[in-house]
Amino acid sequence: MTRGPRIGDPAPRPDGPDKVTGRFPYSSDLRAPGMLWGAAVRSPHASARIVGIDPAPALALEGVAAVLTADDVPGRPTYGLAVADQPAFARDLVRHHGEAVAVVAAATPDLARRAARAVAVDYAPLDPLTDPAAAVTAAPLHPNGNVFRHLIVRRGDVAAAAADPDLVTVEDTYEVGRQDPAFLGLESGLAVPAADGGVDLAVSTQFLHADRDQVAASLGLAPERVRLTLAGVGGAFGGREDLTLHLHLCLLALRTGRPVGMAYDRSESFVGHVTRHPARMWYRHRATRDGTLVSVEARVLLDGGAYQSTSAAVLANACCFAAGPYRVPHALVEGWAVRTNHPPAGALRGFGIPQVCFAHESQMDALAAALGVDPVDLRRRNALAPGDALLTGQRITGTAPAVACLDAAVAHPLPAPPDDDPLRRPGGTGLATGPGDVRRGVGVAMAFKNLMYSEGLQDLSTASVRLAVDGGELVATVHCAAAEVGQGFVTLAQQIVRTELGVDRVVLRAADTSIGEAGSSSASRQSWMSGGAVAAACAGVRDEVLARVAAGRGGRGEAFALRDGEVVSRDGGLRLPLAEVVGADPVEAVRVFTHADTAPLDADGQGDAHVAFVFTAHRAVVDVDPALGSVQVVQIATGQDIGRALNPLAVTGQLEGGIAQGLGLALLEDVVTREGRVATRTFQDYLVPTALDVGDVVATLIEEPEPGAPYGAKGVGEAPTLSSIPAVVAAVRAATGRRLRRVPVRPAHVALGEDGVAPFVVPGGPAAPPGVVTGPEGPLAKPALTDPPGVAELPGGEGGA
Amino acid sequence: MTEEQHHITLHVNGVPRTATVPARRLLSDALRHDLGLTGTHAGCEHGVCGCCTVLLDGEPVRSCLLLAVTAQGAAIRTVEGLAGPDGALHPIQRAFAECHGLQCGFCTPGFLMTTAGLLDRSPAPTDGEIEESMAGNLCRCTGYQNITTSVRRAAELLAAGQGGDPAGPWAGEDPQEPVAEAPLAAGPYAPPPGGGVPGEARR
């Protein structure tokens, strides 16, 4: 066995050979003898009453084994990550386009789809609620009401700042469209009924144990009767945190007594999983004439769609980080996440911060222009540093290299001016742009984000490491339920074990629910949490090995150390090969890892709600054809806070991939809805960036080890997507002078100068209570939302937390 | 509802394979379901994402845009046919694995087959050619930088190799040893090497 990569080495993926040979089993590749195939019946309406469901035409088809509806759910009729408000199948009422009404099982995938179309569902369409601003006062769409969360973050005294006539004020409204995770591996899985009356489910997911608990509750089974195994995951990005087909698969397998496989098609996927929250935002910044930020007021309205998912936590992120990585003594942020008849929104890379980042960075540029100062200087002057307080009052106790990120991003040499290659011009192969039509622009932005779960949420991971001798060779086996979704946790786990135990051969067991939970592969948390759990389990193994040696010699474990595959005594007198110590008696340790406690936010949105923070900065260079509105990204330079690069290959991959997703939201990606129906359900109209769209990426890693983090590393999964968005838009603004207050920026916004952003409408109506600062469009912090609106008589009974 | 069935023979990775399919069976589905070759992935089934790219008589095509019956008698190469018979990685495969040209890996087979087609017609492509050729395949994880690097590296490896055929099975030597046991996802239900259904005899 050659020496495998340790912590800090560039480590290739252990699943690379299987992935390049086609052997790697994705969730869509699983097969079992005698299996059936499932397909869902989905609502074509955004809002409708279900008058009747007739499965007979489907059951009449030869080879159709089952048609299941809400009547066939034996346990809890609803599920949800935070609040179980989402029905397994719509009963009586459909609340979004694509909501599942029934599911069928049939002998082949083709037949299952035909059978799904044959199920006769009689709908009485209703007017959908599509305006999030109207949701607060509209008739409730659900027994839980239409407001998932209303949150205020209040710091200092914005009224005093407003009274200071010497301050410079900039104010505007911004919008963010609906970004789809657009992972390429479609939702899929295989459920197999088990002899004990339970079910085994192999599925692509981000969080096995949360899936298991939700599925078990709806099946009416004890959680241990539902066993999940992670199948190969074709990308996730947040979009696999919620249940999709998991429960339907298990219901079918248990009903038919046969294995059942299922795979969404792309158009189904677009309505069958969560997206990023579309956002409307109003901002007002005030600063002294020398460019010191004094106050930020913001309102953030998130469209959470029909069911809650993670909307409450997404809103908290949007509000806590609403002002960006800057010192702001006075702030008033008010946020709403509301229910509409759009498909549910939930987690997506950045988790609430990409939206506000677009707004706060646009504001910083507007402020720099109003002050007549350099936008980079303005950011540098106000950037957060260790010891500074956030809007929530929390002080940064760890590293905060905001300025270092910014300086690194702008220190990269600018790319060469536009050359003569017509394919490199905006519009590319369209060849519509002549050599004199290109205008270049440069924009800069920065951001920061919390790492891991916040607001006192339980956050832990579990790992076991087992050390054994196999054929004379030491083998370490790692077991952890952390979902490998492409980010490279499997690589990191091996690096950690090699580093801690000096064992080169490290085998990874499939992630499953036979071990304790690892939490979700989200929130940039797995390197810290599951990496920490694996390191702790290694320490447990080491302690037992040393205790074993000491016991054989009547001493104590502290007298020995483990070094490069050998047990050595502190006095240097003894050297024992580790394989000899382990012998025929394997050593195993299981450890649970947690991070420092966090606190809930109080009524003013104050509290130490977060664990740690990651900082980032981006500089974008774009070429624009102002007449056609076409944009070509030339280069994105970044300075990225990472604490420490545990695997430079993986870090770079996360940076480049995250930037591409930010660029996609800035320029291309938008799930368009019309009357609540999703109009963009193919990759022909939902545009994911290609190799020609992304430009070059140049990156500087800022390595300041984070105190308390395993190996000093900060998760880097989300940060690259944050400020790449406003940096690209700022560059387009610089090239064209357009306002561009909405992303994705469309060619018409650039060419015609009309971004279509309407004035911000405050949810809940115009009445301003006394003492509340009012903006031009209405009151801030209207305290009308503590009591949920009255619940109308709604059928279904899907409520309950 | 009995559909007319057609008996077809596809020369897949040098082996004649037969299947009985209805006329509307997509080539991608015939490969994945009828022949059990699940290395060819379906990411959109409307010809945009490129995950299902295979070589049809040496040319990269979207197997989701072709009916299997129209490929009757054709030579088809899938990702399973890139490595040598002894399992040695093809230089294109090796380049992607070594250069971190993949993360989740779902798009990878399509990129590998597109690369095979590119390097077959243009053994030393420029960066512009590479980006142009790769722009027909979507990747959601990598941001493409490492994919471009991987294609460049594959061209180098092929140029330095023993005259291997970019679009054929690799017959050269492979100094790579596996870096570690691969993490096995969903073990018992994974398709066996070479295709087929776990627990069932090969068709």
Side-chain angles (χ1 to χ4, degrees), chain A residues 254-661:
Chain A
L254 290 173
R255 171 62 68 94
T256 62
R258 292 167 68 177
V260 180
M262 203 165 161
Y264 285 4
D265 66 20
R266 183 55 63 181
S267 63
E268 184 176 18
S269 185
F270 269 112
V271 295
H273 60 220
V274 297
T275 64
R276 194 182 296 294
H277 287 73
R280 297 182 191 172
M281 297 166 287
W282 171 86
Y283 268 75
R284 179 160 58 201
H285 280 54
R286 297 187 204 275
T288 60
R289 296 201 178 272
D290 67 353
T292 302
L293 274 176
V294 174
S295 71
V296 173
E297 295 154 86
R299 297 167 176 142
V300 179
L301 172 60
L302 302 180
D303 182 348
Y307 299 106
Q308 179 156 341
S309 181
T310 48
S311 279
V314 170
L315 181 73
N317 264 18
C319 292
C320 290
F321 299 90
Y326 307 107
R327 282 185 303 276
V328 179
H330 307 286
L332 180 53
V333 181
E334 181 171 21
W336 301 260
V338 300
R339 193 189 308 271
T340 66
N341 285 122
H342 286 130
L348 187 56
R349 203 171 199 168
F351 206 74
I353 298 182
Q355 292 93 329
V356 292
C357 183
F358 169 59
H360 67 62
E361 289 306 273
S362 300
Q363 284 285 107
M364 290 300 280
D365 284 341
L367 187 59
L371 292 164
V373 303
D374 180 80
V376 174
D377 289 342
L378 180 69
R379 287 174 168 84
R380 201 180 277 123
R381 181 187 188 100
N382 291 284
L384 286 171
D388 284 340
L390 315 187
L391 300 188
T392 55
Q394 179 169 3
R395 297 217 169 259
I396 300 173
T397 55
T399 63
V403 171
C405 289
L406 180 65
D407 288 346
V410 299
H412 285 280
L414 284 165
D419 64 19
D420 290 335
D421 182 355
L423 292 178
R424 302 275 129 191
R425 289 177 204 141
T429 51
L431 300 178
T433 296
D437 300 331
V438 178
R439 277 196 229 157
R440 178 156 288 188
V442 180
V444 172
M446 38 193 305
F448 80 136
K449 187 189 179 294
N450 52 335
L451 297 170
M452 296 159 306
Y453 302 154
S454 296
E455 294 190 88
L457 203 65
Q458 172 180 288
D459 197 351
L460 58 83
S461 178
T462 315
S464 83
V465 173
R466 182 176 189 270
L467 192 56
V469 176
D470 178 16
E473 188 186 16
L474 276 168
V475 184
T477 303
V478 183
H479 193 198
C480 180
E484 171 60 44
V485 298
Q487 82 277 38
F489 175 72
V490 288
T491 324
L492 178 64
Q494 290 186 325
Q495 292 174 274
I496 290 171
V497 175
R498 290 192 195 108
T499 302
E500 297 302 326
L501 298 179
V503 174
D504 282 290
R505 191 165 160 215
V506 183
V507 176
L508 296 150
R509 285 182 59 184
D512 60 29
T513 52
S514 69
I515 188 171
E517 74 157 281
S520 177
S521 290
S522 64
S524 303
R525 63 181 286 286
Q526 287 296 21
S527 291
W528 187 313
M529 299 304 298
S530 292
V534 171
C538 287
V541 167
R542 184 185 58 221
D543 290 349
E544 190 180 329
V545 164
L546 300 183
R548 195 182 278 187
V549 172
R553 283 163 180 73
R556 289 157 54 87
E558 289 82 359
F560 302 94
L562 187 59
R563 199 173 298 143
D564 295 330
E566 285 186 326
V567 177
V568 296
S569 61
R570 298 276 181 203
D571 60 16
L574 175 81
R575 297 168 69 92
L576 274 177
L578 181 55
E580 199 174 294
V581 179
V582 173
D585 188 10
V587 181
E588 181 165 6
V590 184
R591 292 291 183 273
V592 176
F593 187 86
T594 58
H595 58 64
D597 287 343
T598 59
L601 296 168
D602 69 15
D604 286 326
Q606 300 293 295
D608 292 348
H610 310 292
V611 184
F613 309 94
V614 62
F615 292 78
T616 186
H618 293 84
R619 183 195 66 198
V621 179
V622 304
D623 285 342
V624 184
D625 181 334
L628 296 179
S630 45
V631 178
Q632 174 67 52
V633 173
V634 178
Q635 183 203 63
I636 296 195
T638 180
Q640 179 61 55
D641 168 27
I642 55 166
R644 185 179 165 203
L646 305 186
N647 179 1
L649 280 178
V651 168
T652 305
Q654 288 291 305
L655 258 60
E656 292 167 351
I659 285 170
Q661 279 184 3

Side-chain angles (χ1 to χ4, degrees), chain A residues 666-714:
Chain A
L667 297 174
L668 298 169
E669 301 182 36
D670 202 359
V671 175
V672 175
T673 56
R674 296 207 175 92
E675 289 302 300
R677 287 174 42 84
V678 176
T680 47
R681 297 199 301 277
T682 74
F683 283 147
Q684 273 150 334
D685 38 26
Y686 185 86
L687 302 178
V688 172
T690 73
L692 283 172
D693 296 317
V694 294
D696 290 331
V697 172
V698 286
T700 300
L701 307 183
I702 307 298
E703 297 198 76
E704 289 184 21
E706 171 75 3
Y711 307 106
K714 293 183 179 181

Side-chain angles (χ1 to χ4, degrees), chain A residues 37-44 50 52-59 64 66-73 87-94 96 98-106 112-113 115-123 244-245 247-249 251-252 255 262 264 268:
Chain A
W37 292 86
V41 179
R42 295 185 177 278
S43 168
I50 299 174
I53 304 174
D54 182 8
L59 289 168
V64 174
V67 178
L68 306 183
T69 67
D71 291 337
D72 300 296
V73 180
F89 300 102
R91 173 200 291 277
D92 303 326
L93 192 62
V94 160
H96 71 86
E99 182 163 7
V101 173
V103 68
V104 306
R113 292 205 174 277
R117 284 194 295 274
V119 173
V121 185
D122 187 4
Y123 298 99
T244 52
L245 42 61
L247 180 54
H248 298 164
L249 275 168
L251 286 165
L252 288 172
R255 171 62 68 94
M262 203 165 161
Y264 285 4
E268 184 176 18

